[in-house]
Amino acid sequence: MLIEDRMEEIVRVVEERGSIQVQELIELLNTSESTIRRDLTVLDKRGLLTKVHGGAIAIRNSGIHTDSFVEIREDINRDEKGLIARYAAALVKPNDLVYLDSGTTTGQIIDYLVPNNAVFVTNAVMHARKLAAKGFHVHLPGGEFKSVTEAIVGEEALESLQKYNFTIGFFGTNGVDIEAGYTTPGLREAKVKEYAMKRCRECYVLCDSSKISKISPIRFAAFEDAKIITTMVKEEPYLSCKNIIQVSS
């Protein structure tokens, strides 16, 4: 396959799927990892896709309407996510029963937690592993494992959450809009978010500023149902919203 033909195919697949991992492209195009990474660098410079750690995402679709693999999303707006996560971690008090939703921003909270007697429930397998490694008491609900987001979803997960009354919860989202509320691409993941949020005394949605005014297909909560921890918001009408907490370095 000619170089330009291969690059054209990469762009086509990324546009079609929204995101893709390097390993998938290696298998699809039957070429080496170094070649794929070099092609992604060139295509990123041409503005035809966005190269991220572990793969690429489509320019027109930065995970708003389709779920992307965790490895791909981790490096998107990483610095902003770190600021948000640090602020959120400081809200966890000793003896809190915390719900920690799946997501790359919620996952960064764990990096900033200090040892206390807080207990965590999370539907993210990776979050549970990190929490346990830091010595926290952690519970995972039962249910179906969704490989793309590494989250536990389904009816069994909803049943597992019925036993808990959380003092505080932190949630990820793909979009935030005053009218549409908090939205995400998948119906089953949205149901888990919706149910867990209703079990929380205090709810915080964590999102970098790129997700403000964005709308994904499935709504899991109304705009006023949670406080938002985000980076600098510049557009109206969000500047005057009392439930938005803006953090900066």
Side-chain angles (χ1 to χ4, degrees), residues 208-227:
D208 60 75
S209 58
S210 69
K211 295 179 180 178
I212 302 295
S213 294
K214 300 297 190 300
I215 302 174
S216 262
I218 310 298
R219 167 174 160 147
F220 63 88
F223 182 77
E224 62 273 12
D225 287 345
K227 294 179 181 178

Side-chain angles (χ1 to χ4, degrees), residues 165-166 171 193-201 203 220:
N165 292 305
F166 303 108
F171 297 83
K193 290 175 185 285
E194 179 182 16
Y195 192 82
M197 189 172 280
K198 290 178 180 178
R199 308 295 300 178
C200 294
R201 187 186 306 164
C203 294
F220 63 88

Side-chain angles (χ1 to χ4, degrees), residues 39-52 59:
D39 288 351
L40 293 180
T41 298
V42 172
L43 292 169
D44 181 275
K45 289 180 179 179
R46 292 181 182 178
L48 297 174
L49 52 73
T50 299
K51 181 183 178 183
V52 295
I59 293 293

Side-chain angles (χ1 to χ4, degrees), residues 138-190:
V138 57
H139 297 267
L140 269 170
E144 179 185 349
F145 179 69
K146 184 178 178 182
S147 60
V148 174
T149 57
E150 299 185 1
I152 304 297
V153 298
E155 291 299 321
E156 189 177 346
L158 300 182
E159 292 176 8
S160 297
L161 293 174
Q162 289 180 6
K163 68 184 76 169
Y164 299 108
N165 292 305
F166 303 108
T167 54
I168 192 169
F170 300 101
F171 297 83
T173 189
N174 290 67
V176 175
D177 182 83
I178 289 179
E179 297 298 326
Y182 308 107
T183 54
T184 195
L187 178 60
R188 289 180 299 167
E189 200 154 2

Side-chain angles (χ1 to χ4, degrees), residues 60-155:
R60 61 173 178 80
N61 179 5
S62 298
I64 298 300
H65 299 290
T66 59
D67 279 323
S68 302
F69 285 92
V70 172
E71 294 90 341
I72 290 176
R73 289 183 285 118
E74 279 182 334
D75 276 355
I76 300 175
N77 298 328
R78 177 180 285 274
D79 291 341
E80 289 186 59
K81 291 175 180 179
L83 292 172
I84 294 165
R86 183 185 290 109
Y87 185 96
L91 299 175
V92 178
K93 302 178 181 65
N95 302 313
D96 267 343
L97 178 58
V98 184
Y99 182 77
L100 192 61
D101 187 29
S102 62
T104 54
T105 309
T106 53
Q108 284 201 36
I109 289 177
I110 303 168
D111 298 332
Y112 301 101
L113 290 172
V114 296
N116 59 22
N117 294 322
V119 175
F120 290 81
V121 178
T122 179
N123 70 325
V125 175
M126 183 62 73
H127 294 5
R129 186 179 296 119
K130 288 177 65 177
L131 285 163
K134 292 194 71 171
F136 287 99
H137 190 182
V138 57
H139 297 267
L140 269 170
E144 179 185 349
F145 179 69
K146 184 178 178 182
S147 60
V148 174
T149 57
E150 299 185 1
I152 304 297
V153 298
E155 291 299 321

